[in-house]
Amino acid sequence: EIDGGVLELLAGEQTTGGATFLNGSFLWSNITIKAKVDNVVGDSTSIIARDNDEGESARCSFGAGAVTFRIYEDYKEVRKVTTSRRSELSGKTLGMTVDNESVKCLIDNTVVLNTKHNDEIPSKGRVGFTNWTSEMGVSKLRLHNVEVTAIPAS
């Protein structure tokens, strides 16, 4: 739901989260994605990059106690790297940079997780956001100032 330029992700009555993808982003490769979040209700908020129709993607997941980088193949998590980070997410700008095999997860433009994965993440794909909690119908998230910037080829 979009209201006043703010994108709101809400869980349905019988779901545990919400997700959205940016239209036309299926060919995006080396980018930085940022969005300010508020009204966060959920266990995990993720930025998704290079999502494709084969169920492959790379994600930076932000939770109250940790930031986790995840790789999905065939819609299943196959690898993750986690760092401890205690932080309230509401009012923060969350970000993700994907540059070839290098991935950075950011909070307020500060790198909180930096990792590299040779040939393990798709080379291009959609960009999106998701919010999740274990309880049905509760998860919600508001996104402001969504920004995607291409990283020039080096």
Side-chain angles (χ1 to χ4, degrees):
E1 177 179 315
I2 297 177
D3 183 24
V6 176
L7 178 62
E8 192 166 38
L9 298 181
L10 303 168
E13 224 174 83
Q14 298 297 313
T15 65
T16 56
T20 190
F21 289 90
L22 301 183
N23 192 23
S25 65
F26 65 96
L27 292 176
W28 292 358
S29 182
N30 296 328
I31 54 171
T32 296
I33 312 138
K34 295 180 187 176
K36 185 173 182 178
V37 299
D38 72 10
N39 205 26
V40 179
V41 177
D43 296 327
S44 179
T45 297
S46 298
I47 299 175
I48 306 166
R50 297 187 183 173
D51 180 81
N52 65 30
D53 292 337
E54 287 78 45
E56 300 171 325
S57 65
R59 300 178 184 200
C60 284
S61 298
F62 303 87
V67 176
T68 303
F69 169 71
R70 303 171 192 273
I71 297 173
Y72 283 79
E73 291 178 1
D74 197 25
Y75 302 98
K76 295 179 181 104
E77 181 180 278
V78 295
R79 184 171 172 145
K80 70 179 181 180
V81 176
T82 301
T83 184
S84 295
R85 174 88 180 177
R86 297 248 175 243
S87 180
E88 170 62 36
L89 296 179
S90 282
K92 305 283 187 187
T93 297
L94 304 182
M96 179 178 187
T97 295
V98 184
D99 189 2
N100 297 311
E101 289 86 29
S102 174
V103 177
K104 297 175 184 171
C105 304
L106 306 105
I107 298 177
D108 285 340
N109 296 315
T110 300
V111 175
V112 294
L113 193 150
N114 188 358
T115 186
K116 187 169 184 162
H117 299 274
N118 296 328
D119 299 323
E120 293 180 348
I121 58 178
S123 61
K124 63 183 181 239
R126 292 176 290 265
V127 170
F129 299 88
T130 185
N131 198 45
W132 176 88
T133 193
S134 58
E135 191 175 343
M136 295 271 196
V138 173
S139 174
K140 64 181 174 178
L141 169 70
R142 290 168 43 108
L143 299 165
H144 305 262
N145 305 323
V146 174
E147 178 183 312
V148 181
T149 307
I151 297 171
S154 49

